[in-house]
Amino acid sequence: MRLIETILEISRLGFSMFRMSPHEPSGINFCDLLLETWSTLWNITDEQAGNCDRFVSHGGLELYLDTYCVCSQVKTEDSTVTKRITTLIRNMLGLMGNIAEVSHIRPKLQESEDMIRSFYMLRSYNRDSDSECDIIEIRYSAAGILSHICSDGPDKWQVGDGQLSYDTVLKGIEEAVDSWNINSKRSINYKSFNPILHILKVDCPYPCKLWAVWALANLCQTKPFRFVPMLRRDGGVELLNKLKDSPGCPDNVKHLSTITIMKAYDPNIGPEIEET
Protein backbone atom coordinates (compact mmCIF):
# COMPACT_ATOMS: atom_id res chain seq x y z
CA MET A 1 0.00 0.00 0.00
CA ARG A 2 1.56 3.25 -1.16
CA LEU A 3 -0.39 5.23 1.44
CA ILE A 4 1.97 4.32 4.29
CA GLU A 5 5.04 5.10 2.20
CA THR A 6 3.60 8.43 1.03
CA ILE A 7 2.68 9.57 4.55
CA LEU A 8 6.15 8.62 5.79
CA GLU A 9 7.74 10.64 2.99
CA ILE A 10 5.68 13.67 4.02
CA SER A 11 6.64 13.07 7.66
CA ARG A 12 10.33 12.98 6.77
CA LEU A 13 10.00 16.28 4.92
CA GLY A 14 8.22 17.85 7.88
CA PHE A 15 10.78 16.45 10.30
CA SER A 16 13.75 17.72 8.29
CA MET A 17 12.37 21.25 8.54
CA PHE A 18 11.16 20.92 12.14
CA ARG A 19 14.54 19.85 13.51
CA MET A 20 16.25 22.89 11.97
CA SER A 21 14.26 25.35 14.07
CA PRO A 22 11.88 23.64 16.53
CA HIS A 23 11.42 26.87 18.54
CA GLU A 24 10.75 29.15 15.57
CA PRO A 25 7.36 29.83 13.92
CA SER A 26 8.43 27.92 10.82
CA GLY A 27 9.40 24.94 12.96
CA ILE A 28 6.06 25.07 14.77
CA ASN A 29 4.24 24.94 11.44
CA PHE A 30 6.14 21.82 10.46
CA CYS A 31 5.38 20.36 13.90
CA ASP A 32 1.69 20.78 13.01
CA LEU A 33 2.33 18.82 9.82
CA LEU A 34 3.94 16.04 11.85
CA LEU A 35 0.97 16.02 14.20
CA GLU A 36 -1.33 15.27 11.27
CA THR A 37 0.86 12.64 9.61
CA TRP A 38 1.53 10.71 12.82
CA SER A 39 -2.16 10.89 13.75
CA THR A 40 -3.05 9.39 10.39
CA LEU A 41 -0.43 6.66 10.74
CA TRP A 42 -1.74 5.88 14.23
CA ASN A 43 -5.28 5.42 12.88
CA ILE A 44 -4.43 3.25 9.88
CA THR A 45 -2.21 0.87 11.86
CA ASP A 46 -4.82 0.18 14.56
CA GLU A 47 -5.21 -3.63 14.63
CA GLN A 48 -3.84 -3.69 11.07
CA ALA A 49 -0.77 -5.93 11.12
CA GLY A 50 -0.14 -5.45 7.40
CA ASN A 51 0.06 -1.69 7.73
CA CYS A 52 2.31 -2.08 10.79
CA ASP A 53 4.64 -4.20 8.65
CA ARG A 54 4.67 -1.55 5.93
CA PHE A 55 5.43 1.18 8.45
CA VAL A 56 8.45 -0.74 9.74
CA SER A 57 9.74 -1.81 6.31
CA HIS A 58 9.69 1.80 5.07
CA GLY A 59 11.81 3.17 7.90
CA GLY A 60 9.10 4.20 10.33
CA LEU A 61 10.98 3.07 13.44
CA GLU A 62 14.01 5.16 12.51
CA LEU A 63 11.79 8.18 11.89
CA TYR A 64 10.13 7.72 15.28
CA LEU A 65 13.48 7.66 17.08
CA ASP A 66 14.83 10.67 15.17
CA THR A 67 11.68 12.69 15.88
CA TYR A 68 11.59 11.70 19.55
CA CYS A 69 15.23 12.73 20.00
CA VAL A 70 14.50 16.23 18.65
CA CYS A 71 11.33 16.55 20.74
CA SER A 72 13.16 15.51 23.91
CA GLN A 73 15.78 18.22 23.35
CA VAL A 74 13.32 21.09 22.95
CA LYS A 75 13.56 23.34 26.01
CA THR A 76 11.07 26.17 26.08
CA GLU A 77 8.63 27.99 28.35
CA ASP A 78 6.31 28.70 25.43
CA SER A 79 3.14 26.80 26.34
CA THR A 80 2.05 26.60 22.68
CA VAL A 81 5.24 24.83 21.69
CA THR A 82 5.10 22.56 24.74
CA LYS A 83 1.53 21.48 24.02
CA ARG A 84 2.33 20.70 20.37
CA ILE A 85 5.38 18.65 21.37
CA THR A 86 3.34 16.74 23.93
CA THR A 87 0.59 16.00 21.42
CA LEU A 88 3.13 14.91 18.80
CA ILE A 89 4.74 12.47 21.23
CA ARG A 90 1.27 11.18 22.14
CA ASN A 91 0.50 10.49 18.48
CA MET A 92 3.84 8.80 17.88
CA LEU A 93 3.48 6.55 20.91
CA GLY A 94 -0.08 5.64 19.95
CA LEU A 95 1.25 4.32 16.67
CA MET A 96 4.19 2.57 18.35
CA GLY A 97 1.67 0.92 20.64
CA ASN A 98 -0.03 -0.53 17.56
CA ILE A 99 3.35 -1.81 16.36
CA ALA A 100 4.05 -3.45 19.75
CA GLU A 101 0.78 -5.41 19.55
CA VAL A 102 2.09 -7.37 16.53
CA SER A 103 4.12 -10.29 17.88
CA HIS A 104 6.47 -10.81 14.94
CA ILE A 105 7.39 -7.11 14.86
CA ARG A 106 8.14 -6.74 18.57
CA PRO A 107 11.76 -7.97 18.29
CA LYS A 108 12.52 -5.05 15.96
CA LEU A 109 11.63 -2.62 18.75
CA GLN A 110 14.59 -4.01 20.70
CA GLU A 111 17.16 -3.63 17.95
CA SER A 112 17.98 -0.16 19.28
CA GLU A 113 18.57 0.29 23.00
CA ASP A 114 17.74 3.97 22.47
CA MET A 115 14.29 2.88 21.34
CA ILE A 116 13.63 0.95 24.54
CA ARG A 117 15.12 3.79 26.58
CA SER A 118 12.68 6.24 24.99
CA PHE A 119 9.72 4.09 26.08
CA TYR A 120 11.19 3.67 29.56
CA MET A 121 11.63 7.41 29.98
CA LEU A 122 8.20 8.25 28.58
CA ARG A 123 6.37 5.93 31.00
CA SER A 124 6.80 8.76 33.52
CA TYR A 125 6.54 11.68 31.08
CA ASN A 126 6.12 14.94 32.96
CA ARG A 127 6.66 17.90 30.61
CA ASP A 128 4.68 20.98 31.69
CA SER A 129 1.53 21.05 29.58
CA ASP A 130 -2.08 22.05 29.98
CA SER A 131 -3.17 18.75 28.47
CA GLU A 132 -3.33 16.18 31.27
CA CYS A 133 -5.15 13.88 28.88
CA ASP A 134 -2.19 13.82 26.49
CA ILE A 135 0.25 13.24 29.35
CA ILE A 136 -1.55 10.18 30.71
CA GLU A 137 -1.86 8.82 27.15
CA ILE A 138 1.91 9.11 26.71
CA ARG A 139 2.61 7.33 29.99
CA TYR A 140 -0.01 4.69 29.25
CA SER A 141 1.25 3.98 25.73
CA ALA A 142 4.91 3.84 26.76
CA ALA A 143 4.23 1.39 29.60
CA GLY A 144 1.95 -0.59 27.28
CA ILE A 145 4.67 -0.96 24.66
CA LEU A 146 7.07 -2.23 27.30
CA SER A 147 4.39 -4.56 28.68
CA HIS A 148 3.79 -6.12 25.27
CA ILE A 149 7.52 -6.60 24.74
CA CYS A 150 8.08 -8.06 28.22
CA SER A 151 5.04 -10.34 27.86
CA ASP A 152 7.12 -12.41 25.44
CA GLY A 153 9.30 -13.44 28.39
CA PRO A 154 12.90 -12.91 29.48
CA ASP A 155 14.22 -15.31 26.84
CA LYS A 156 13.10 -12.87 24.14
CA TRP A 157 14.63 -9.82 25.85
CA GLN A 158 17.45 -8.55 23.61
CA VAL A 159 18.56 -5.40 25.43
CA GLY A 160 21.77 -5.55 27.50
CA ASP A 161 21.87 -6.24 31.22
CA GLY A 162 22.82 -2.69 32.17
CA GLN A 163 20.35 0.02 33.14
CA LEU A 164 17.63 -1.52 30.97
CA SER A 165 17.58 -5.10 32.15
CA TYR A 166 14.36 -7.10 31.86
CA ASP A 167 13.74 -6.91 35.61
CA THR A 168 14.46 -3.17 35.69
CA VAL A 169 11.89 -2.52 33.00
CA LEU A 170 9.29 -4.69 34.74
CA LYS A 171 9.82 -2.75 37.96
CA GLY A 172 9.51 0.52 36.02
CA ILE A 173 6.19 -0.60 34.51
CA GLU A 174 4.76 -1.45 37.93
CA GLU A 175 5.95 1.79 39.55
CA ALA A 176 4.44 3.81 36.72
CA VAL A 177 1.05 2.08 36.68
CA ASP A 178 0.71 2.22 40.46
CA SER A 179 1.11 6.01 40.29
CA TRP A 180 -1.74 6.59 37.83
CA ASN A 181 -5.20 7.83 38.76
CA ILE A 182 -7.74 5.18 37.82
CA ASN A 183 -10.28 7.92 37.01
CA SER A 184 -8.02 9.72 34.52
CA LYS A 185 -10.00 11.01 31.55
CA ARG A 186 -8.56 9.80 28.28
CA SER A 187 -9.24 10.28 24.58
CA ILE A 188 -8.05 6.85 23.46
CA ASN A 189 -10.41 4.54 21.61
CA TYR A 190 -10.40 0.81 20.97
CA LYS A 191 -12.07 -1.23 18.26
CA SER A 192 -11.78 -4.24 20.57
CA PHE A 193 -9.99 -5.26 23.74
CA ASN A 194 -8.20 -8.15 22.05
CA PRO A 195 -4.71 -6.53 22.13
CA ILE A 196 -5.02 -5.90 25.88
CA LEU A 197 -6.64 -9.23 26.68
CA HIS A 198 -3.81 -11.06 24.90
CA ILE A 199 -1.55 -10.14 27.84
CA LEU A 200 -4.04 -11.71 30.26
CA LYS A 201 -4.07 -14.93 28.22
CA VAL A 202 -0.33 -15.56 28.10
CA ASP A 203 2.02 -16.65 30.86
CA CYS A 204 3.90 -13.43 31.61
CA PRO A 205 5.06 -11.39 34.63
CA TYR A 206 2.45 -9.62 36.73
CA PRO A 207 3.65 -6.06 35.94
CA CYS A 208 2.56 -6.67 32.34
CA LYS A 209 -0.82 -7.87 33.55
CA LEU A 210 -1.04 -4.89 35.91
CA TRP A 211 -0.83 -2.53 32.93
CA ALA A 212 -3.53 -4.52 31.12
CA VAL A 213 -5.98 -4.61 34.04
CA TRP A 214 -5.41 -0.90 34.75
CA ALA A 215 -6.31 -0.18 31.12
CA LEU A 216 -9.53 -2.18 31.40
CA ALA A 217 -10.44 -0.73 34.79
CA ASN A 218 -9.82 2.84 33.69
CA LEU A 219 -11.83 2.58 30.50
CA CYS A 220 -14.72 0.74 32.15
CA GLN A 221 -14.82 3.28 35.00
CA THR A 222 -14.65 6.42 32.86
CA LYS A 223 -16.63 5.32 29.78
CA PRO A 224 -18.74 2.40 31.02
CA PHE A 225 -21.44 2.50 28.36
CA ARG A 226 -18.87 2.08 25.62
CA PHE A 227 -16.29 -0.22 27.18
CA VAL A 228 -18.20 -2.47 29.60
CA PRO A 229 -20.20 -4.06 26.72
CA MET A 230 -16.91 -4.44 24.81
CA LEU A 231 -15.32 -6.16 27.80
CA ARG A 232 -18.22 -8.60 28.02
CA ARG A 233 -18.22 -9.23 24.27
CA ASP A 234 -14.50 -9.93 24.07
CA GLY A 235 -14.42 -12.38 26.99
CA GLY A 236 -12.66 -10.06 29.39
CA VAL A 237 -14.82 -10.83 32.43
CA GLU A 238 -13.90 -14.51 32.34
CA LEU A 239 -10.20 -13.70 32.00
CA LEU A 240 -10.30 -11.22 34.89
CA ASN A 241 -12.05 -13.75 37.14
CA LYS A 242 -9.43 -16.35 36.31
CA LEU A 243 -6.63 -13.85 36.92
CA LYS A 244 -7.80 -12.58 40.32
CA ASP A 245 -8.31 -16.14 41.58
CA SER A 246 -4.91 -17.36 40.38
CA PRO A 247 -2.35 -18.31 43.06
CA GLY A 248 0.07 -15.51 43.84
CA CYS A 249 -1.96 -12.77 42.16
CA PRO A 250 -0.68 -9.47 43.64
CA ASP A 251 -3.09 -7.24 45.54
CA ASN A 252 -2.89 -4.38 43.01
CA VAL A 253 -3.79 -6.69 40.12
CA LYS A 254 -6.53 -8.36 42.16
CA HIS A 255 -8.04 -5.01 43.20
CA LEU A 256 -8.21 -3.63 39.65
CA SER A 257 -9.61 -6.91 38.35
CA THR A 258 -12.30 -6.95 41.03
CA ILE A 259 -13.57 -3.40 40.47
CA THR A 260 -13.71 -4.05 36.71
CA ILE A 261 -15.67 -7.26 37.18
CA MET A 262 -18.10 -5.44 39.47
CA LYS A 263 -18.59 -2.80 36.78
CA ALA A 264 -19.25 -5.52 34.22
CA TYR A 265 -22.12 -6.84 36.36
CA ASP A 266 -23.80 -3.42 36.59
CA PRO A 267 -27.40 -4.07 35.46
CA ASN A 268 -27.76 -0.46 34.31
CA ILE A 269 -25.24 -1.01 31.51
CA GLY A 270 -26.83 -2.74 28.54
CA PRO A 271 -25.24 -4.94 25.87
CA GLU A 272 -24.97 -2.28 23.18
CA ILE A 273 -21.62 -0.54 22.70
CA GLU A 274 -22.18 3.20 22.86
CA GLU A 275 -20.47 5.00 19.99
CA THR A 276 -18.36 8.08 20.73
Side-chain angles (χ1 to χ4, degrees):
M1 180 185 289
R2 281 283 304 175
L3 179 60
I4 297 285
E5 187 174 354
T6 299
I7 297 173
L8 281 171
E9 288 173 356
I10 296 171
S11 295
R12 289 189 187 93
L13 173 62
F15 168 70
S16 66
M17 302 304 294
F18 170 62
R19 69 177 175 181
M20 292 173 61
S21 53
H23 301 91
E24 303 300 325
S26 60
I28 299 302
N29 291 335
F30 283 106
C31 182
D32 288 344
L33 173 62
L34 291 173
L35 286 172
E36 293 301 322
T37 56
W38 281 95
S39 177
T40 302
L41 289 167
W42 181 7
N43 287 329
I44 63 178
T45 54
D46 186 13
E47 294 193 51
Q48 295 292 325
N51 283 346
C52 290
D53 274 319
R54 295 181 185 96
F55 173 83
V56 172
S57 65
H58 287 101
L61 298 183
E62 294 79 6
L63 181 60
Y64 159 77
L65 196 54
D66 288 344
T67 307
Y68 166 73
C69 288
V70 171
C71 289
S72 66
Q73 293 168 10
V74 173
K75 308 296 182 185
T76 179
E77 295 182 359
D78 187 327
S79 61
T80 301
V81 175
T82 298
K83 184 173 182 179
R84 282 186 169 95
I85 293 292
T86 296
T87 305
L88 175 56
I89 294 174
R90 180 205 68 179
N91 291 354
M92 291 195 299
L93 278 189
L95 182 149
M96 297 302 285
N98 291 342
I99 300 297
E101 292 171 1
V102 184
S103 59
H104 69 270
I105 301 180
R106 281 199 287 272
K108 293 184 180 296
L109 297 177
Q110 298 188 63
E111 291 179 358
S112 166
E113 188 167 329
D114 288 339
M115 180 86 68
I116 297 297
R117 183 174 291 106
S118 76
F119 304 143
Y120 188 77
M121 296 297 291
L122 288 169
R123 87 198 195 288
S124 55
Y125 183 82
N126 199 30
R127 184 189 292 265
D128 288 337
S129 172
D130 60 0
S131 179
E132 289 298 322
C133 182
D134 282 352
I135 289 175
I136 187 59
E137 293 298 353
I138 289 171
R139 296 172 179 173
Y140 168 84
S141 294
I145 293 165
L146 294 172
S147 295
H148 280 288
I149 294 171
C150 289
S151 72
D152 291 329
D155 293 343
K156 298 290 182 67
W157 187 253
Q158 301 175 17
V159 182
D161 293 330
Q163 294 181 335
L164 288 174
S165 68
Y166 184 76
D167 288 341
T168 297
V169 171
L170 285 176
K171 183 178 180 181
I173 294 170
E174 184 168 15
E175 289 175 347
V177 177
D178 278 339
S179 72
W180 300 342
N181 181 353
I182 193 63
N183 295 311
S184 295
K185 302 296 183 181
R186 302 166 57 215
S187 60
I188 198 167
N189 205 352
Y190 277 97
K191 295 177 181 177
S192 78
F193 278 145
N194 291 329
I196 298 174
L197 295 177
H198 169 76
I199 290 181
L200 301 187
K201 294 177 181 178
V202 299
D203 182 14
C204 66
Y206 277 111
C208 304
K209 296 183 185 295
L210 175 64
W211 172 83
V213 295
W214 187 93
L216 297 173
N218 168 261
L219 292 169
C220 288
Q221 291 292 320
T222 57
K223 296 182 180 180
F225 292 97
R226 173 159 181 76
F227 290 114
V228 166
M230 186 179 294
L231 181 73
R232 296 167 178 162
R233 182 199 68 188
D234 294 344
V237 178
E238 294 81 1
L239 289 170
L240 289 170
N241 271 307
K242 183 178 179 180
L243 176 62
K244 77 176 181 63
D245 292 336
S246 62
C249 181
D251 288 342
N252 51 3
V253 173
K254 187 174 295 187
H255 170 69
L256 291 171
S257 298
T258 300
I259 63 173
T260 308
I261 293 167
M262 291 175 62
K263 200 71 176 178
Y265 289 141
D266 187 338
N268 296 314
I269 302 174
E272 297 299 321
I273 296 176
E274 182 180 275
E275 297 299 327
T276 58

PDB file of all heavy atoms in Angstrom, residues 73 85 118 129 164 168 181 223 226 254 267-268 273-274:
ATOM      1  N   GLN A  73      14.756  17.186  23.161  1.00  0.00           N
ATOM      2  CA  GLN A  73      15.781  18.216  23.346  1.00  0.00           C
ATOM      3  C   GLN A  73      15.210  19.633  23.323  1.00  0.00           C
ATOM      4  O   GLN A  73      15.925  20.595  23.596  1.00  0.00           O
ATOM      5  CB  GLN A  73      16.858  18.082  22.261  1.00  0.00           C
ATOM      6  CG  GLN A  73      17.676  16.801  22.390  1.00  0.00           C
ATOM      7  CD  GLN A  73      18.524  16.522  21.166  1.00  0.00           C
ATOM      8  OE1 GLN A  73      18.660  17.366  20.281  1.00  0.00           O
ATOM      9  NE2 GLN A  73      19.097  15.331  21.107  1.00  0.00           N
ATOM     10  N   ILE A  85       4.408  19.733  21.194  1.00  0.00           N
ATOM     11  CA  ILE A  85       5.378  18.655  21.366  1.00  0.00           C
ATOM     12  C   ILE A  85       4.739  17.483  22.103  1.00  0.00           C
ATOM     13  O   ILE A  85       4.911  16.317  21.722  1.00  0.00           O
ATOM     14  CB  ILE A  85       6.620  19.158  22.139  1.00  0.00           C
ATOM     15  CG1 ILE A  85       7.402  20.188  21.311  1.00  0.00           C
ATOM     16  CG2 ILE A  85       7.525  17.985  22.519  1.00  0.00           C
ATOM     17  CD1 ILE A  85       8.071  19.645  20.088  1.00  0.00           C
ATOM     18  N   SER A 118      13.696   5.195  25.202  1.00  0.00           N
ATOM     19  CA  SER A 118      12.679   6.237  24.995  1.00  0.00           C
ATOM     20  C   SER A 118      11.360   5.826  25.634  1.00  0.00           C
ATOM     21  O   SER A 118      10.699   6.633  26.300  1.00  0.00           O
ATOM     22  CB  SER A 118      12.493   6.526  23.495  1.00  0.00           C
ATOM     23  OG  SER A 118      11.751   5.505  22.837  1.00  0.00           O
ATOM     24  N   SER A 129       2.503  20.927  30.673  1.00  0.00           N
ATOM     25  CA  SER A 129       1.530  21.046  29.584  1.00  0.00           C
ATOM     26  C   SER A 129       0.154  21.213  30.196  1.00  0.00           C
ATOM     27  O   SER A 129      -0.114  20.750  31.306  1.00  0.00           O
ATOM     28  CB  SER A 129       1.562  19.806  28.682  1.00  0.00           C
ATOM     29  OG  SER A 129       0.515  19.824  27.749  1.00  0.00           O
ATOM     30  N   LEU A 164      18.923  -1.119  31.531  1.00  0.00           N
ATOM     31  CA  LEU A 164      17.631  -1.519  30.970  1.00  0.00           C
ATOM     32  C   LEU A 164      17.505  -3.041  30.940  1.00  0.00           C
ATOM     33  O   LEU A 164      17.161  -3.632  29.924  1.00  0.00           O
ATOM     34  CB  LEU A 164      17.468  -0.935  29.562  1.00  0.00           C
ATOM     35  CG  LEU A 164      17.236   0.573  29.507  1.00  0.00           C
ATOM     36  CD1 LEU A 164      17.246   1.062  28.071  1.00  0.00           C
ATOM     37  CD2 LEU A 164      15.922   0.934  30.167  1.00  0.00           C
ATOM     38  N   THR A 168      14.552  -4.616  35.473  1.00  0.00           N
ATOM     39  CA  THR A 168      14.464  -3.172  35.694  1.00  0.00           C
ATOM     40  C   THR A 168      13.253  -2.590  34.988  1.00  0.00           C
ATOM     41  O   THR A 168      12.518  -1.758  35.543  1.00  0.00           O
ATOM     42  CB  THR A 168      15.744  -2.470  35.197  1.00  0.00           C
ATOM     43  OG1 THR A 168      16.853  -2.927  35.962  1.00  0.00           O
ATOM     44  CG2 THR A 168      15.631  -0.956  35.329  1.00  0.00           C
ATOM     45  N   ASN A 181      -3.848   7.681  38.232  1.00  0.00           N
ATOM     46  CA  ASN A 181      -5.205   7.835  38.759  1.00  0.00           C
ATOM     47  C   ASN A 181      -6.168   7.001  37.917  1.00  0.00           C
ATOM     48  O   ASN A 181      -6.279   7.211  36.697  1.00  0.00           O
ATOM     49  CB  ASN A 181      -5.604   9.316  38.725  1.00  0.00           C
ATOM     50  CG  ASN A 181      -6.994   9.572  39.277  1.00  0.00           C
ATOM     51  OD1 ASN A 181      -7.747   8.646  39.580  1.00  0.00           O
ATOM     52  ND2 ASN A 181      -7.352  10.842  39.409  1.00  0.00           N
ATOM     53  N   LYS A 223     -15.707   5.382  30.914  1.00  0.00           N
ATOM     54  CA  LYS A 223     -16.633   5.325  29.785  1.00  0.00           C
ATOM     55  C   LYS A 223     -17.364   3.978  29.802  1.00  0.00           C
ATOM     56  O   LYS A 223     -17.230   3.174  28.875  1.00  0.00           O
ATOM     57  CB  LYS A 223     -15.890   5.525  28.459  1.00  0.00           C
ATOM     58  CG  LYS A 223     -15.236   6.889  28.313  1.00  0.00           C
ATOM     59  CD  LYS A 223     -14.553   7.036  26.959  1.00  0.00           C
ATOM     60  CE  LYS A 223     -13.909   8.408  26.815  1.00  0.00           C
ATOM     61  NZ  LYS A 223     -13.231   8.563  25.496  1.00  0.00           N
ATOM     62  N   ARG A 226     -19.574   2.517  26.827  1.00  0.00           N
ATOM     63  CA  ARG A 226     -18.868   2.078  25.623  1.00  0.00           C
ATOM     64  C   ARG A 226     -18.035   0.820  25.890  1.00  0.00           C
ATOM     65  O   ARG A 226     -18.062  -0.132  25.105  1.00  0.00           O
ATOM     66  CB  ARG A 226     -17.949   3.183  25.089  1.00  0.00           C
ATOM     67  CG  ARG A 226     -17.071   2.688  23.943  1.00  0.00           C
ATOM     68  CD  ARG A 226     -16.514   3.765  23.058  1.00  0.00           C
ATOM     69  NE  ARG A 226     -15.716   3.199  21.985  1.00  0.00           N
ATOM     70  CZ  ARG A 226     -16.202   2.612  20.902  1.00  0.00           C
ATOM     71  NH1 ARG A 226     -17.509   2.492  20.754  1.00  0.00           N
ATOM     72  NH2 ARG A 226     -15.404   2.127  19.961  1.00  0.00           N
ATOM     73  N   LYS A 254      -5.250  -7.810  41.689  1.00  0.00           N
ATOM     74  CA  LYS A 254      -6.529  -8.360  42.163  1.00  0.00           C
ATOM     75  C   LYS A 254      -7.561  -7.245  42.363  1.00  0.00           C
ATOM     76  O   LYS A 254      -8.739  -7.397  42.005  1.00  0.00           O
ATOM     77  CB  LYS A 254      -6.308  -9.127  43.468  1.00  0.00           C
ATOM     78  CG  LYS A 254      -7.517  -9.880  43.978  1.00  0.00           C
ATOM     79  CD  LYS A 254      -7.168 -10.717  45.187  1.00  0.00           C
ATOM     80  CE  LYS A 254      -6.193 -11.820  44.835  1.00  0.00           C
ATOM     81  NZ  LYS A 254      -5.971 -12.755  45.974  1.00  0.00           N
ATOM     82  N   PRO A 267     -26.202  -3.808  36.269  1.00  0.00           N
ATOM     83  CA  PRO A 267     -27.400  -4.066  35.456  1.00  0.00           C
ATOM     84  C   PRO A 267     -27.874  -2.853  34.665  1.00  0.00           C
ATOM     85  O   PRO A 267     -28.695  -2.983  33.746  1.00  0.00           O
ATOM     86  CB  PRO A 267     -28.447  -4.478  36.504  1.00  0.00           C
ATOM     87  CG  PRO A 267     -27.995  -3.804  37.767  1.00  0.00           C
ATOM     88  CD  PRO A 267     -26.498  -3.824  37.716  1.00  0.00           C
ATOM     89  N   ASN A 268     -27.355  -1.676  35.016  1.00  0.00           N
ATOM     90  CA  ASN A 268     -27.756  -0.460  34.308  1.00  0.00           C
ATOM     91  C   ASN A 268     -27.011  -0.264  32.991  1.00  0.00           C
ATOM     92  O   ASN A 268     -27.336   0.639  32.221  1.00  0.00           O
ATOM     93  CB  ASN A 268     -27.523   0.761  35.201  1.00  0.00           C
ATOM     94  CG  ASN A 268     -28.399   0.747  36.443  1.00  0.00           C
ATOM     95  OD1 ASN A 268     -29.594   0.491  36.352  1.00  0.00           O
ATOM     96  ND2 ASN A 268     -27.796   0.998  37.594  1.00  0.00           N
ATOM     97  N   ILE A 273     -22.808  -1.371  22.552  1.00  0.00           N
ATOM     98  CA  ILE A 273     -21.620  -0.538  22.700  1.00  0.00           C
ATOM     99  C   ILE A 273     -21.965   0.878  22.247  1.00  0.00           C
ATOM    100  O   ILE A 273     -22.346   1.092  21.090  1.00  0.00           O
ATOM    101  CB  ILE A 273     -20.446  -1.088  21.879  1.00  0.00           C
ATOM    102  CG1 ILE A 273     -20.028  -2.466  22.409  1.00  0.00           C
ATOM    103  CG2 ILE A 273     -19.265  -0.117  21.892  1.00  0.00           C
ATOM    104  CD1 ILE A 273     -18.938  -3.137  21.588  1.00  0.00           C
ATOM    105  N   GLU A 274     -21.848   1.814  23.166  1.00  0.00           N
ATOM    106  CA  GLU A 274     -22.183   3.204  22.863  1.00  0.00           C
ATOM    107  C   GLU A 274     -21.086   3.820  22.008  1.00  0.00           C
ATOM    108  O   GLU A 274     -19.901   3.793  22.372  1.00  0.00           O
ATOM    109  CB  GLU A 274     -22.351   3.997  24.157  1.00  0.00           C
ATOM    110  CG  GLU A 274     -22.740   5.437  23.959  1.00  0.00           C
ATOM    111  CD  GLU A 274     -22.890   6.157  25.295  1.00  0.00           C
ATOM    112  OE1 GLU A 274     -23.977   6.088  25.892  1.00  0.00           O
ATOM    113  OE2 GLU A 274     -21.893   6.771  25.735  1.00  0.00           O
TER     114      GLU A 274
END
